[in-house]
Amino acid sequence: MKLNKVLFGMMFTASAFNALAAQAPVVDMSSRTSGTGSVTEQLRSLEEKLDSRNRSQVNIQRQLDMLQSEVNELRGVTELHSHQLSQVLERQRELYQELDRRVSEALKPASSVPTSIAVTNTDSIGAASQAYSNNLSENDAYDRALNMVLKEAKYEQAIPEFRAFNKNYPNSSYAPNAHYWLGQLLFNKDELVEAKQEFTIVVNQFSDSNKRPDAMLKLAMVSQKQNDNQNAITLYRQLLKEYPNSTSAKLAKPRLESLSK
């Protein structure tokens, strides 16, 4: 009897063990190994992408540094050119002032120098003036005309150059100077009617120009040459009143005194 119980117990235990074994999950080790490899590859891919992005950022930063360096160089070049341009403009202004001083000295009554700009070398002038080029810029056109007076003594040729400049650039900042120099050249040729027109333009249309007192003096001198002494006196007095400390006023004073005697 005991033997049967023992056998029955052993059979029950074996049956229970088999049942538990059937219910236990089966783990596929090959699948887990494959999953581990996939994660590794993903990590490696992420590292490569990060490295690529870092390299791109470094390249972009390097390019930005190069662009900044080029911008700094361009800024330096611009500042240099601006400084050089300022020097050129200042030199041009000094040249005009020196020329005005010389003309004023020539107009002094006590001076033995003629009151007009003398043409000392008529052979260099030629029979006709050169044609005006519309391709010249405003600055070049004005410099071309002025240099004919200052450097080349081509007074006859300068007249059509200034006329063309006044026609093509009526609103130029050089306009009062151009009208004044045209009037001066015509005054030197004793073409008083046309000279008067040019000086009148400066006086009436360019009240802020530093050429206005000079033009007013020349208008008075034109009237004096035309024997219109009363108008000359009026202009001399106007000049002394509006520009009492100018060089033109100093030149006008003895002329006024000589007409008032």
Side-chain angles (χ1 to χ4, degrees):
M1 185 70 177
K2 291 182 180 179
L3 179 61
N4 292 333
K5 290 181 179 180
V6 171
L7 292 173
F8 178 78
M10 292 178 63
M11 291 174 62
F12 178 80
T13 302
S15 177
F17 178 80
N18 292 333
L20 290 174
Q23 293 178 1
V26 179
V27 178
D28 189 353
M29 296 303 294
S30 64
S31 175
R32 179 166 296 186
T33 304
S34 175
T36 303
S38 177
V39 170
T40 303
E41 290 176 357
Q42 291 177 5
L43 289 174
R44 185 182 300 108
S45 176
L46 286 175
E47 290 178 355
E48 291 176 353
K49 291 179 179 179
L50 286 174
D51 290 341
S52 178
R53 188 180 67 175
N54 291 337
R55 286 194 297 270
S56 298
Q57 290 178 343
V58 170
N59 290 334
I60 291 173
Q61 185 62 47
R62 185 180 296 110
Q63 292 175 0
L64 288 175
D65 292 341
M66 292 175 62
L67 289 174
Q68 184 62 47
S69 177
E70 292 177 359
V71 168
N72 291 337
E73 290 180 3
L74 290 174
R75 185 180 291 113
V77 171
T78 301
E79 292 176 355
L80 176 61
H81 288 173
S82 298
H83 178 66
Q84 292 175 340
L85 178 60
S86 298
Q87 289 182 323
V88 170
L89 293 176
E90 181 63 26
R91 176 56 184 155
Q92 187 180 51
R93 191 158 40 245
E94 292 175 356
L95 181 61
Y96 295 156
Q97 291 173 351
E98 175 63 17
L99 180 64
D100 290 341
R101 185 190 67 78
R102 293 183 182 182
V103 173
S104 298
E105 290 291 332
L107 291 171
K108 288 183 178 180
S111 176
S112 60
V113 179
T115 59
S116 63
I117 303 176
V119 179
T120 58
N121 186 6
T122 56
D123 292 337
S124 64
I125 295 177
S129 63
Q130 296 180 0
Y132 179 81
S133 174
N134 288 326
N135 294 325
L136 294 175
S137 68
E138 179 180 335
N139 289 333
D140 290 341
Y142 181 73
D143 289 342
R144 174 184 172 85
L146 190 63
N147 286 335
M148 287 184 175
V149 177
L150 301 184
K151 296 181 179 180
E152 303 171 16
K154 296 180 178 179
Y155 306 111
E156 289 287 344
Q157 290 175 304
I159 291 174
E161 290 291 333
F162 277 117
R163 281 176 173 158
F165 180 86
N166 291 331
K167 179 181 178 181
N168 286 280
Y169 304 100
N171 300 318
S172 171
S173 59
Y174 300 124
N177 291 52
H179 283 289
Y180 173 81
W181 282 113
L182 178 56
Q184 177 67 59
L185 292 167
L186 294 169
F187 180 84
N188 295 341
K189 293 183 63 179
D190 213 30
E191 296 180 9
L192 301 180
V193 174
E194 294 185 66
K196 182 177 180 179
Q197 292 175 351
E198 298 300 323
F199 293 136
T200 300
I201 290 174
V202 178
V203 172
N204 292 343
Q205 298 183 18
F206 301 99
S207 58
D208 296 332
S209 172
N210 59 1
K211 303 304 294 183
R212 189 170 184 267
D214 297 335
M216 196 176 296
L217 173 65
K218 295 298 173 57
L219 272 178
M221 293 173 63
V222 169
S223 295
Q224 197 171 352
K225 280 179 168 285
Q226 292 175 331
N227 296 320
D228 188 356
N229 291 340
Q230 188 57 48
N231 190 53
I233 290 173
T234 300
L235 288 167
Y236 284 136
R237 286 176 177 172
Q238 181 183 356
L239 175 57
L240 290 169
K241 180 181 179 180
E242 295 186 17
Y243 305 97
N245 299 320
S246 66
T247 301
S248 298
K250 294 177 182 178
L251 297 173
K253 189 173 182 179
R255 293 179 178 275
L256 177 60
E257 292 174 352
S258 66
L259 290 175
S260 301
K261 290 180 180 179

